[in-house]
Amino acid sequence: MPSIEVSVASLGFPRIGPRRELKFALESYWAGKSSQAELLEAARKLRSDRWQEQRRRGVTVIPCNDFSLYDHMLDTALMVGAVPARFGAPPRGFSMDTYFAMARGSGTGTAGIDVHGHAQHDGKGAAALEMTKWFDTNYHYLVPELSPDQRFELCWTKPLDEFREAKALGIHTRPVLVGPVTFLKLAKAAGNAEDGSVFDPLSLLPRLLPVYGQLLRQLAAAGVDWVQIDEPVLVLDLSADERAALATAYQTLSAEDPRLKLMLTTYFGRLGDNLDSVLKLPIDGLHVDLLRAPEQLDAVLDQTPADWLLSLGVVDGRNVWRADLSLILDRLDKALAAKPRARLELAPSCSLLHVPVDLDAETELDAELRQWLAFAVQKLDELKTLAAALREGRAGVSAALQATDGAVADRRRSTRVHDAKVAKRLQELGDAHRSRKHPFAQRHEAQLHKLSLPKFPTTTIGSFPQTGEIRKARAALAHGELSRADYEAKMRSEIEQAIRWQEQIGLDVLVHGEFERNDMVQYFGEQLTGFAFTRLGWVQSYGSRCVRPPIIYGDVSRPHEMTVTWWRYAQSLTSKPVKAMLTGPVTMLNWSFVRDDEPREQVCRQIALAIRDEVMDLEAAGAAIIQIDEAAFREGLPLRHADWAGYLEWAVDCFRLCSSGVADATQIHSHMCYSEFNDIIKSIAAMDADVISIETSRSRMELLDAFRGISYPNQIGPGVYDIHSPRVPGVGEISNLLTAARQRLTDGQLWVNPDCGLKTRRWEEVRPALTNMVEAAQELRRSL
Ligand code: GLN
Ligand code: ZN
């Protein structure tokens, strides 16, 4: 094999720090406990540490500008002067006040965070930019707002500043930029065009490109040779206009400075039908994701110009599994033998932003499981090994390869991973496990009879405020300062108070309040087989907020009941029905790191069966109403439309698997935290939950039109209380929402409930808000 030049790139490294240093620096600054200078110093130190770490680990193409104090889309907005008027004029250089006002809102308006960790606002001061998910990850970016008369200018030279900062440390970096087309496509149109038509932010491209051009020239002048331009929109379905925009953008940018080379970076999926457009771009390098789309390897080796530097995303940037290095090398060797290249770059499939920092910090994970895993720095080691093997042959890295081969083989054989009982149960599933005994109409009769609820029944979504006291008790339990018995007694007393209070204000279907749960996925994962939890496996969700996703490593089953005792206790306190609360399989899957040795749908079915066992036990214990939350059902939709049907089919199947074992008279609820149902309404109907509660209060019920459109037969609880805001809705306001809902649903269909769970709200808000909600429902009943 001819000699080959191989570089190693990281594309981006976690920003939060190995001990969440960034989180603590930010929160201390926001709390007024440290100065701007201290925050900036903490950030500088983090950047320096990250650069050194990557160099130590053998990365040859080290990124800069992948760091952010809050979010890279926000950085880009500020860089190009896209500052909405409510935050004042775009600042020259970096203004921390403007930056955090855009991130978190300003004035008296910021009021904490909702159950998804999103910032909330009460309408006073300037509301923060909206936040939404970055492609199909659990990272949230801030959505730039662009107006039809938007002007751009280079206000902040962050990429240049970071390049120079690294240079001063003796490290030559490759700046990372959000590509102009991705920036515009992910932005939101603020206002209409002059003629009143909806305006497309993409139309601003001609105004935006000169600013990117100016930046590129400055970078080149400072000594930058390569720039990584991220255009993940290239893995989405693109319109002809969008493809034309890419052509315009890269024709313009590639002509800015002859010294500068552009590495166009795509990730999270296949280029597919966008590959042809990419091949025509005047770029110098292309990065492709070979985890999500391994078949791209042959295509890009075959079709891209020989002088392009190909960056191959061979190690999973989205998941925590140790790579099968020998397998990767086999594939590369084979492909390269057919289509040799003089040089290559090896990289993770995408930025390492989406994985935890360092496995070595996980001192409490058992040794067997640990050897199956790789976090960000271990992935860099893997890339280094792969690069060495490509350059000099495998002999030089045989020890590293042997270690990996051993771990891979062990994982494949382990009885902790493979449980024959689980496999057998899945195999034996038939249609009977997937449908309720009778159609909704018949079940409805049985449920009316059993539950004798009033018209417009009132309920809540499950959780009540997780007060500081409750969290403290949980921490004390974890630290061994509170006995399990005392902790449980404390939780029982919280439940009792919540039940009494719900009875007092006249709610019809009560909940126990979920006080004993740390998190709606973790609580269940900790009680199931096949799940593991890390100590420091934090991943940034947005800003300072980090999550520690569970790791699903093996076959999932439920060794013992998980919620029955708590439910039974709550029900023993009252004669009103207490709704049992579970998290659904699709949500558990979407919020975890999922094993990569089984199809996702199969893992999801295993979780569904474990939840089904709990459902059946709850029913046997006497629960007449069981709610199975599917907060992340819609989130799991694939990026490409063509892949939607496949996902929806198995996601619906999993919900039906977990929920369909019960008798007609047992009422199954589901809750979903959003209201965009138009495009998946048939799947929502196919889930066949007796009652679904959804988020609608802010959209004034218009989104219920989707349900009317297909004459959805089952019951619906459209949220009438916006729990994302601390504001207490009045009775009149709730009544108006109910009126709007009744224009779209029959009276027999309508339930009355808030938009979502109340765990991040305070009792001072929840008490009056729910009292008003019950009053509005009662008024409506009286008026009939
Ligand atoms: N039952 C959960 C709660 O009330 C639902 C939360 C959610 O869907 N995000 O907290
Ligand atoms: Zn919700």
Side-chain angles (χ1 to χ4, degrees):
M1 174 120 26
S3 80
I4 177 168
E5 202 184 300
V6 188
S7 51
V8 171
S10 75
L11 305 186
F13 196 74
R15 305 157 179 162
I16 46 165
R19 293 279 187 286
R20 286 183 296 160
E21 289 84 348
L22 180 60
K23 173 194 179 69
F24 299 117
L26 284 168
E27 289 174 359
S28 149
Y29 170 69
W30 294 334
K33 291 185 194 137
S34 57
S35 65
Q36 287 205 0
E38 284 167 301
L39 174 56
L40 291 174
E41 173 53 25
R44 194 203 54 72
K45 172 148 194 326
L46 269 169
R47 284 193 295 270
S48 161
D49 289 351
R50 294 158 76 247
W51 284 322
Q52 320 266 11
E53 177 77 27
Q54 291 178 77
R55 183 162 64 177
R56 248 195 322 275
R57 299 274 172 174
V59 179
T60 54
V61 184
I62 298 177
C64 74
N65 200 43
D66 59 322
F67 180 80
S68 175
L69 272 179
Y70 202 96
D71 166 50
H72 52 274
M73 284 292 280
L74 173 63
D75 294 351
T76 309
L78 219 66
M79 178 179 93
V80 301
V83 177
R86 65 181 180 280
F87 302 104
R92 301 261 137 219
F94 176 61
S95 155
M96 201 181 276
D97 292 342
T98 308
Y99 187 82
F100 287 134
M102 286 169 76
R104 313 174 67 232
S106 70
T108 55
T110 39
I113 40 177
D114 68 18
V115 283
H116 313 293
H118 295 184
Q120 299 158 0
H121 197 265
D122 68 1
K124 298 181 206 113
L129 297 186
E130 269 176 30
M131 198 157 40
T132 194
K133 279 162 128 318
W134 177 246
F135 296 84
D136 59 355
T137 71
N138 288 322
Y139 175 85
H140 301 76
Y141 72 92
L142 288 158
V143 184
E145 288 171 26
L146 304 176
S147 60
D149 58 357
Q150 187 72 47
R151 299 276 165 238
F152 299 106
E153 52 185 322
L154 186 58
C155 287
W156 181 23
T157 55
K158 177 174 180 279
L160 179 64
D161 303 345
E162 288 195 13
F163 176 77
R164 288 193 170 131
E165 190 177 296
K167 194 99 235 173
L169 297 168
I171 298 177
H172 180 81
T173 52
R174 182 171 76 180
V176 182
L177 305 180
V178 175
V181 178
T182 293
F183 179 74
L184 293 175
K185 186 164 160 69
L186 298 189
K188 161 182 163 174
N192 284 342
E194 246 165 56
D195 63 359
S197 66
V198 183
F199 116 94
D200 180 358
L202 204 60
S203 64
L204 298 170
L205 186 67
R207 287 187 221 164
L208 180 61
L209 288 178
V211 178
Y212 269 77
Q214 190 186 348
L215 174 71
L216 290 182
R217 289 192 303 276
Q218 290 188 18
L219 290 173
V224 170
D225 46 5
W226 278 89
V227 174
Q228 173 185 328
I229 300 201
D230 288 5
E231 291 283 14
V233 293
L234 276 163
V235 308
L236 305 179
D237 298 321
L238 294 183
S239 65
D241 282 355
E242 288 162 341
R243 290 193 188 139
L246 283 157
T248 309
Y250 289 91
Q251 269 144 24
T252 310
L253 298 184
S254 69
E256 287 300 343
D257 192 303
R259 289 169 293 183
L260 215 54
K261 298 196 178 66
L262 302 182
M263 171 61 74
L264 183 71
T265 308
T266 68
Y267 39 80
F268 302 151
R270 59 181 184 271
L271 285 167
D273 56 352
N274 296 324
L275 177 60
D276 284 342
S277 312
V278 169
L279 291 173
K280 294 187 198 113
L281 299 178
I283 49 178
D284 309 282
L286 175 67
H287 172 84
V288 288
D289 182 336
L290 296 180
L291 263 293
R292 288 280 175 90
E295 73 283 0
Q296 298 195 114
L297 177 58
D298 288 330
V300 294
L301 283 173
D302 226 32
Q303 298 177 45
T304 56
D307 62 343
W308 279 15
L309 175 57
L310 281 182
S311 170
L312 304 179
V314 289
V315 160
D316 200 342
R318 291 283 299 274
N319 214 332
V320 292
W321 304 104
R322 186 165 180 173
D324 185 342
L325 298 182
S326 297
L327 181 70
I328 294 173
L329 284 172
D330 290 345
R331 286 192 186 145
L332 288 176
D333 283 346
K334 182 157 169 261
L336 288 167
K339 294 272 158 190
R341 287 263 160 167
R343 42 189 201 135
L344 273 184
E345 178 174 292
L346 294 184
S349 55
C350 59
S351 162
L352 295 168
L353 180 64
H354 310 289
V355 290
V357 181
D358 188 358
L359 181 65
D360 290 343
E362 294 306 322
T363 47
E364 276 154 45
L365 276 184
D366 68 272
E368 183 180 35
L369 182 53
R370 249 169 59 138
Q371 56 150 356
W372 300 337
L373 301 173
F375 293 177
V377 297
Q378 285 74 33
K379 288 174 189 289
L380 298 180
D381 295 341
E382 294 179 336
L383 288 167
K384 184 180 168 187
T385 304
L386 290 170
L390 279 190
R391 265 190 310 253
E392 291 129 31
R394 299 190 200 192
V397 287
S398 58
L401 292 180
Q402 258 166 35
T404 323
D405 291 347
V408 167
D410 177 73
R411 186 175 160 212
R412 207 173 287 138
R413 282 190 307 258
S414 170
T415 50
R416 288 171 68 191
V417 173
H418 306 284
D419 177 344
K421 283 201 296 294
V422 173
K424 180 156 183 284
R425 195 168 169 204
L426 273 175
Q427 245 162 31
E428 287 168 357
L429 284 180
D431 289 346
H433 296 92
R434 297 179 148 95
S435 328
R436 298 285 295 270
K437 292 169 188 66
H438 294 101
F440 173 74
Q442 224 163 316
R443 301 189 320 250
H444 188 50
E445 286 305 312
Q447 290 162 21
L448 279 178
H449 184 75
K450 177 164 182 185
L451 292 165
S452 56
L453 294 169
K455 263 218 160 66
F456 315 112
T458 54
T459 189
T460 59
I461 307 304
S463 60
F464 280 129
Q466 286 259 336
T467 59
E469 218 186 305
I470 292 171
R471 279 197 295 264
K472 237 184 268 158
R474 194 149 39 243
L477 172 71
H479 294 131
E481 292 148 15
L482 189 69
S483 71
R484 162 88 26 207
D486 288 346
Y487 170 78
E488 289 184 355
K490 165 107 191 99
M491 296 300 126
R492 275 197 300 273
S493 120
E494 293 285 341
I495 291 170
E496 177 168 11
Q497 285 173 51
I499 294 284
R500 293 285 164 257
W501 179 76
Q502 292 173 85
E503 283 182 320
Q504 205 184 321
I505 69 162
L507 277 156
D508 302 305
V509 172
L510 314 192
V511 295
H512 78 290
E514 301 181 25
F515 304 109
E516 79 290 4
R517 302 188 186 175
N518 38 16
D519 170 272
M520 64 186 282
V521 174
Q522 188 179 350
Y523 179 79
F524 292 95
E526 281 174 347
Q527 304 188 68
L528 295 170
T529 65
F531 277 76
F533 293 83
T534 61
R535 215 164 54 87
L536 290 163
W538 297 101
V539 178
Q540 190 175 23
S541 169
Y542 71 91
S544 70
R545 163 73 61 129
C546 303
V547 294
R548 262 181 316 179
I551 297 173
I552 306 177
Y553 65 87
D555 288 345
V556 176
S557 61
R558 189 205 64 148
H560 48 73
E561 62 97 341
M562 306 184 282
T563 63
V564 178
T565 305
W566 292 110
W567 174 83
R568 195 184 273 123
Y569 172 68
Q571 186 64 81
S572 74
L573 301 167
T574 178
S575 55
K576 293 232 174 134
V578 175
K579 178 164 67 166
M581 308 296 311
L582 302 171
T583 301
V586 182
T587 299
M588 298 233 258
L589 187 84
N590 284 335
W591 288 347
S592 301
F593 286 120
V594 181
R595 58 193 286 194
D596 60 354
D597 58 344
E598 283 282 347
R600 284 173 77 82
E601 60 186 273
Q602 210 56 5
V603 180
C604 199
R605 288 198 177 93
Q606 296 182 358
I607 307 173
L609 289 181
I611 299 295
R612 182 184 176 101
D613 292 343
E614 188 72 9
V615 167
M616 299 315 290
D617 279 357
L618 282 164
E619 184 185 54
I625 307 184
I626 302 168
Q627 177 169 312
I628 306 168
D629 291 323
E630 282 294 19
F633 189 87
R634 193 177 201 291
E635 277 181 28
L637 278 176
L639 294 173
R640 292 279 196 161
H641 219 278
D643 303 332
W644 279 26
Y647 164 77
L648 287 169
E649 196 179 314
W650 63 252
V652 168
D653 186 49
C654 289
F655 186 82
R656 294 174 66 118
L657 270 181
C658 72
S659 61
S660 62
V662 296
D664 286 350
T666 302
Q667 192 169 64
I668 296 288
H669 288 220
S670 186
H671 166 68
M672 286 174 255
C673 298
Y674 43 81
S675 48
E676 302 146 54
F677 286 109
N678 276 308
D679 45 6
I680 57 164
I681 189 75
K682 293 220 172 81
S683 303
I684 301 297
M687 287 167 74
D688 201 20
D690 296 305
V691 183
I692 56 173
S693 58
I694 58 177
E695 181 181 314
T696 32
S697 69
R698 277 177 300 183
S699 61
R700 305 218 35 94
M701 305 292 156
E702 277 157 25
L703 294 137
L704 289 178
D705 289 340
F707 293 90
R708 194 163 56 166
I710 62 153
S711 344
Y712 183 76
N714 303 14
Q715 294 187 293
I716 308 180
V720 291
Y721 160 23
D722 175 11
I723 64 94
H724 305 87
S725 159
R727 218 175 53 80
V728 173
V731 178
E733 194 179 317
I734 296 174
S735 299
N736 288 341
L737 287 173
L738 289 174
T739 306
R742 289 179 66 211
Q743 284 157 8
R744 296 166 169 95
L745 304 175
T746 65
D747 285 355
Q749 271 183 304
L750 187 57
W751 281 66
V752 180
N753 49 257
D755 271 337
C756 194
L758 298 162
K759 75 175 175 203
T760 60
R761 293 262 62 96
R762 297 180 311 143
W763 274 113
E764 295 86 286
E765 300 144 11
V766 166
R767 279 195 202 98
L770 291 183
T771 307
N772 291 347
M773 186 186 87
V774 171
E775 175 55 30
Q778 286 170 350
E779 233 172 53
L780 178 56
R781 284 173 207 150
R782 287 195 295 268
S783 76
L784 292 184

